[in-house]
Amino acid sequence: MKLYLTPGSCSTGIHILMEELDLVFEAHLVNLLNGDQNTPEYLAMNPKATIPTLVRNDGTALTEFPAIAYWLARSYPKARLLPGDPDGDARVIELMDYVVGTIHGLGFTRIFTTDKFALHEADFDAVKAQGMDIVTRGFAVVNDSLSPQGYVMDTFSIADAALFYVEFWADKTGISLPEMCLKHYLLMLQRPVVRRVLMEEGYRLD
């Protein structure tokens, strides 16, 4: 398999899941600032020009974090990346979709790519403030739903990989995490695979 990723992005969560599964795959870096996602070769795999993209052994490509994460969990059930019962699976997907769609898709995108949401530079500060409000409110919602054990459910799941990457962004941008989200973030940083992935992607761990 081939995973097309950008270090420190949402694809870090998929990178973590694939390493947790101990899968053999090729990692291909996509430099978003250089426009690698808009090359004809990349668009042939992923017309959305987004990351991550996972090209599977049969040559077909999957895009979108939730779809890739769900496929990995269902393809390798022994790893129990989903709880395995309808209610548990739904709860994991519920939180994962909220993290990816709201905290990331509506919040952090306004902070990181402000120009896509404002036609005039004079509006940039207002758009960033709106993004910060969405992120802060989002973490508060997640905070109240986390398991006392620290993970989204009782054990590590695909939702934890999603939550981790936005917590990582919060940490790197100086956004304070509420108590349970911070506990989750620190718990994830203790996982050997998470530490290895971050180092592979060029981040120093103190």
Side-chain angles (χ1 to χ4, degrees), residues 3-138:
L3 175 63
Y4 290 81
L5 59 88
T6 298
S9 73
C10 58
S11 60
T12 298
I14 299 299
H15 190 179
I16 288 169
L17 292 175
M18 295 185 71
E19 293 278 6
E20 288 278 0
L21 291 168
D22 200 24
L23 299 178
V24 176
F25 64 96
E26 298 175 11
H28 294 263
L29 300 185
V30 179
N31 190 321
L32 298 177
L33 295 179
N34 284 350
D36 291 357
Q37 72 277 19
N38 295 314
T39 62
E41 294 79 12
Y42 192 80
L43 290 173
M45 292 183 298
N46 181 355
K48 302 170 187 174
T50 58
I51 52 151
T53 298
L54 178 64
V55 178
R56 296 170 292 181
N57 291 329
D58 64 359
T60 60
L62 267 182
T63 64
E64 306 298 333
F65 187 104
I68 297 172
Y70 179 78
W71 180 82
L72 289 170
R74 289 298 303 270
S75 297
Y76 303 93
K78 290 183 179 179
R80 296 191 61 80
L81 294 176
L82 283 169
D85 63 280
D87 187 69
D89 289 358
R91 290 298 182 187
V92 166
I93 293 170
E94 178 184 32
L95 188 137
M96 177 176 64
D97 283 355
Y98 182 69
V99 166
V100 175
T102 299
I103 298 179
H104 173 181
L106 298 179
F108 274 111
T109 52
R110 282 174 166 80
I111 297 171
F112 294 154
T113 56
T114 311
D115 59 309
K116 293 184 178 181
F117 294 87
L119 295 176
H120 307 289
E121 192 171 344
D123 298 324
F124 280 13
D125 286 345
V127 170
K128 287 183 179 179
Q130 184 184 43
M132 184 69 73
D133 183 61
I134 294 170
V135 167
T136 302
R137 290 174 181 269

Side-chain angles (χ1 to χ4, degrees), residues 95 142-155 180 183-184 187:
L95 188 137
V142 171
N143 188 75
D144 291 341
S145 69
L146 289 177
S147 164
Q149 283 79 7
Y151 290 114
V152 171
M153 300 294 283
D154 291 335
T155 59
M180 291 302 297
K183 179 179 179 180
H184 177 270
L187 182 62

